[in-house]
Amino acid sequence: MKKRILALVIIVIILIVVALVYLYNSKEIEENENISNKGTVIYSSDGNVIYDPSKANETTGVEENIVIQGLVSVKSDKYIILEGRQHFGEYGYEIDEYTDATINNNNQECIDYFTLERYDTSYIEEGDMLICSGKLTRKYEESYNTFDTKDNSIIVLKSNDYEKMKQEAIEDKRAIHSTITIGDIYDNYIYLEYTLEDDTNSDISYNFPFAEKVYISDDTKIIGNLQKGEKVKVEYNKENGNSNALELKEIEVIN
C-alpha cells in the first residue's frame, strides 16, 4: 500500500514538473514571437546593427523647450499622434522638418493658425498640421517619440487651409515665394519638395514644407541634370487629363 502511495506521489510530482516546463517553454515561445513580430534586426554590410526592433521604445535623448510640427495621423480621447511624413498610396515620404511624436490628449488649449480663435483639442482632426512647444523625448524608433506640451497652447493649421496653401504654392500664387527642390527620383516620376513660408498673424515666418509626386512624360522638357537636392523651377501640363496627378511640362535646374 505504501509503495502504491509513493508511486502515485512520484507520478504527481513528475506531472507537475512536466506542466511547469511546458508553461515556461510556451511563455518563452510567445515572448520570442512578440519580439519577432516587431521586426528583425537589420545589419550593415560590415556586420554592424542598423536597426534593432527590441530597442524600439528605448529613450535616446530629451529636448526641453523646443518647437515641433507634424501632421495628425491619429486622434483619440487619450492621445494625438503626429507623423513626420506624407503618404502617397501605401508609401510615405519623409519631411525632415516634421516630427513623429505621441502627445497625451489633456484637452490643451488650441489656437487656429489663421483666425487665432481658441478651442480645446476637440478642434483637432486627422490631417491637420500642429505646431507644439514643450519637451520631446526621443526614442530609438522615432515613431515611439513622446511630446509633453506642458502648459503651452497648440497651434492648429486645419487640413483644408493647409491644402489651399499647398495649391497656391504649386500654382505660384503665394505672396511669399516657395522654393522647389528635387527629392527622390524614379523612372517616370519624382518627388518635389516645396518650402511653404507664411507669416499670417505673426512676426514669425513659419515654414510648412510639403512634397508632391509629379510625373515625367516623353514630352517633358528637362533643362539641366536632375539630381536629388537640386533647386528647380517647374511648369505643369494642365492638359494631362488627370486632375489628381501632376505632370511636368518643363523642369529646369536653377542651382
Side-chain angles (χ1 to χ4, degrees):
M1 186 68 178
K2 290 182 178 180
K3 289 183 178 179
R4 289 182 179 180
I5 294 174
L6 180 60
L8 183 60
V9 170
I10 292 173
I11 292 172
V12 171
I13 292 173
I14 291 173
L15 290 174
I16 291 173
V17 171
V18 170
L20 290 173
V21 170
Y22 175 78
L23 290 172
Y24 175 80
N25 288 337
S26 297
K27 183 177 180 181
E28 190 174 49
I29 291 171
E30 182 179 354
E31 289 176 348
N32 289 335
E33 287 178 347
N34 288 337
I35 291 173
S36 64
N37 286 338
K38 293 178 181 178
T40 57
V41 177
I42 301 174
Y43 297 90
S44 62
S45 57
D46 55 3
N48 293 322
V49 175
I50 297 175
Y51 173 74
D52 184 349
S54 66
K55 297 181 179 180
N57 202 31
E58 287 187 5
T59 298
T60 59
V62 176
E63 298 178 57
E64 296 277 1
N65 302 317
I66 71 165
V67 177
I68 68 167
Q69 61 189 106
L71 295 166
V72 178
S73 62
V74 177
K75 159 74 185 307
S76 76
D77 293 337
K78 294 183 178 180
Y79 51 81
I80 302 163
I81 298 179
L82 295 187
E83 198 168 22
R85 64 192 62 78
Q86 286 180 241
H87 287 283
F88 297 87
E90 61 181 303
Y91 300 106
Y93 189 89
E94 295 286 341
I95 306 294
D96 291 340
E97 291 84 353
Y98 296 162
T99 303
D100 292 291
T102 297
I103 303 169
N104 286 334
N105 187 348
N106 297 322
N107 208 29
Q108 297 96 317
E109 179 184 66
C110 297
I111 303 174
D112 183 277
Y113 177 77
F114 279 109
T115 68
L116 301 182
E117 292 183 14
R118 298 175 185 272
Y119 304 88
D120 57 27
T121 51
S122 63
Y123 187 62
I124 296 173
E125 299 174 298
E126 293 180 6
D128 291 347
M129 172 73 66
L130 303 188
I131 303 173
C132 309
S133 303
K135 181 178 77 173
L136 175 66
T137 301
R138 292 192 180 275
K139 302 292 184 175
Y140 180 84
E141 184 175 302
E142 289 186 356
S143 60
Y144 285 74
N145 291 347
T146 59
F147 193 82
D148 182 2
T149 59
K150 299 186 176 181
D151 296 324
N152 301 312
S153 301
I154 299 174
I155 298 174
V156 182
L157 174 61
K158 299 300 291 181
S159 60
N160 57 333
D161 290 328
Y162 183 44
E163 289 301 319
K164 182 179 178 181
M165 292 167 69
K166 288 163 61 176
Q167 191 60 38
E168 288 175 349
I170 291 171
E171 296 175 1
D172 201 20
K173 293 180 178 179
R174 293 197 58 77
I176 302 179
H177 180 68
S178 298
T179 59
I180 309 171
T181 306
I182 298 175
D184 295 336
I185 303 174
Y186 296 90
D187 290 338
N188 66 333
Y189 67 90
I190 62 177
Y191 287 102
L192 295 180
E193 298 179 8
Y194 279 78
T195 63
L196 204 169
E197 295 184 34
D198 190 85
D199 59 1
T200 302
N201 296 329
S202 176
D203 294 331
I204 301 172
S205 180
Y206 287 98
N207 185 21
F208 303 104
F210 67 95
E212 281 295 327
K213 182 179 181 179
V214 301
Y215 291 86
I216 298 175
S217 71
D218 293 337
D219 297 325
T220 300
K221 183 178 181 180
I222 301 174
I223 304 173
N225 185 19
L226 301 185
Q227 294 184 4
K228 186 172 182 176
E230 296 285 353
K231 291 182 180 179
V232 294
K233 63 180 181 179
V234 300
E235 181 180 351
Y236 293 109
N237 183 5
K238 297 180 181 180
E239 306 297 329
N240 65 346
N242 185 351
S243 60
N244 295 319
L246 288 173
E247 183 180 288
L248 286 167
K249 181 177 181 180
E250 180 176 306
I251 180 168
E252 180 182 359
V253 177
I254 58 175
N255 275 4

